Amino acid sequence: EYILEAHNVYFQYEDGTEALRGISLGIEKGKKTVVLGHNGAGKSTLFLHFNGIYRPERGEIRFAGEKVLYGKSFLKKLRKNVGIVFQDPDTQLFSANVFQEISFGPLNLGLSKKETYEKVFQAMEETGITHLKDRPTHLLSYGEKKRVAIADVLAMDPEVIILDEPTAWLDPISTRQTLKLLDKINAQGKTLLLSTHDVDLAYSWADHIILMKEGEVVGEGTPETVFADE
Ligand code: ADP
Ligand code: ADP
């Protein structure tokens, strides 16, 4: 059962770069899917289609079997259910301190202060950042910012969590901690989709791997099968 699908999605940037060249793929509900590809393969562009930030020029995106429509109400539903952790935390974090940062999403969804408080503390605990609660976000280390960005999305309790290169520039210990955290989130029933150019990470962590190159899918399968014919 696919929670997210792309059907013949074509997308070109304004400067003429063809980032997605009629791409089709499905993300299975409850699984850990990794999109593996070099820089520029189109991974980020694909992810931005999955929560409606970008709209395909041709083709369509589906969420839970439904064709994504680009009106206010569908986009609201989509963005509540599909959370994105951006590659660069500085593009995601904008509040004065960590607590306010993580509160923003749930408050924006209309949760009460009490419900928000609970969600924020749960998210901080899970990501190991409770001690950073009152710290200004701009003074955090890169690794800390990455964890706040994950907590941001967790607090909104989406069904799918998409992470763009979540382990890029993290040291090996932080990388392992992040992957362990993601396993825990997945065990709670969340669908996870992440991108990487790290073959070993994809091989050891994914349930399903999608290989992307120059805006196209060039292979997919389980870690055991996907590299078999290379
Ligand atoms: P990946 O996430 O796999 O590194 P991207 O989706 O970021 O790939 O990029 C796909 C292609 O689109 C690349 O050729 C990239 O240079 C180009 N691209 C990405 N963002 C923009 C943009 N804002 N304007 C023009 N081209 C872009
Ligand atoms: P940074 O890389 O930002 O300096 P550290 O890697 O030094 O952060 O981690 C600081 C503390 O947070 C350590 O005690 C570490 O065990 C914990 N930690 C780091 N990453 C995670 C994570 N993804 N989930 C939970 N705890 C983490």
Side-chain angles (χ1 to χ4, degrees):
E1 186 188 352
Y2 293 137
I3 186 84
L4 284 170
E5 295 161 75
H7 289 269
N8 304 310
V9 170
Y10 179 89
F11 184 84
Q12 193 175 18
Y13 283 101
E14 270 175 21
D15 67 357
T17 306
E18 293 179 299
L20 300 176
R21 302 171 189 239
I23 197 171
S24 295
L25 56 95
I27 306 303
E28 271 204 65
K29 195 174 168 153
K31 293 263 163 76
K32 300 187 289 182
T33 300
V34 169
V35 178
L36 181 66
H38 294 296
N39 284 327
K43 307 182 293 296
S44 308
T45 307
L46 175 67
F47 288 177
L48 293 170
H49 277 79
F50 278 147
N51 91 337
I53 292 176
Y54 287 161
R55 181 179 179 158
E57 230 170 286
R58 296 201 289 274
E60 67 184 56
I61 302 292
R62 291 184 200 155
F63 171 71
E66 267 186 283
K67 179 178 172 172
V68 170
L69 304 173
Y70 295 84
K72 245 188 181 170
S73 67
F74 201 112
L75 284 182
K76 195 172 166 196
K77 176 172 92 172
L78 185 67
R79 286 174 187 159
K80 198 233 160 289
N81 284 292
V82 181
I84 294 197
V85 178
F86 292 94
Q87 176 167 5
D88 177 3
D90 287 329
T91 64
Q92 185 174 340
L93 309 179
F94 59 88
S95 299
N97 69 37
V98 169
F99 184 86
Q100 285 171 17
E101 175 58 43
I102 306 169
S103 305
F104 180 82
L107 286 176
N108 200 38
L109 287 176
L111 270 63
S112 71
K113 274 196 175 164
K114 184 168 172 287
E115 288 169 315
T116 297
Y117 187 88
E118 282 165 13
K119 295 264 186 213
V120 172
F121 270 88
Q122 199 182 336
M124 288 194 302
E125 203 154 298
E126 266 185 308
T127 51
I129 58 170
T130 311
H131 61 292
L132 302 175
K133 177 168 81 67
D134 301 314
R135 294 270 294 278
T137 47
H138 72 277
L139 295 182
L140 302 176
S141 76
Y142 180 78
E144 288 169 341
K145 283 182 185 171
K146 290 291 270 191
R147 277 184 274 149
V148 174
I150 294 175
D152 248 2
V153 169
L154 275 182
M156 312 235 327
D157 201 20
E159 196 169 338
V160 184
I161 299 180
I162 296 179
L163 305 101
D164 199 352
E165 299 267 2
T167 62
W169 301 301
L170 289 184
D171 58 68
I173 291 172
S174 299
T175 296
R176 277 190 55 185
Q177 282 169 330
T178 300
L179 295 177
K180 260 175 68 182
L181 170 65
L182 296 181
D183 280 334
K184 204 168 79 182
I185 295 167
N186 176 248
Q188 294 163 2
K190 306 274 186 213
T191 302
L192 294 182
L193 172 61
L194 68 81
S195 65
T196 186
H197 51 253
D198 182 339
V199 178
D200 293 332
L201 187 160
Y203 191 81
S204 62
W205 185 80
D207 294 322
H208 190 79
I209 297 173
I210 294 170
L211 301 174
M212 264 185 86
K213 191 179 173 187
E214 294 168 6
E216 293 181 39
V217 171
V218 293
E220 65 174 305
T222 61
E224 290 70 31
T225 61
V226 76
F227 300 116
D229 54 349
E230 295 240 317

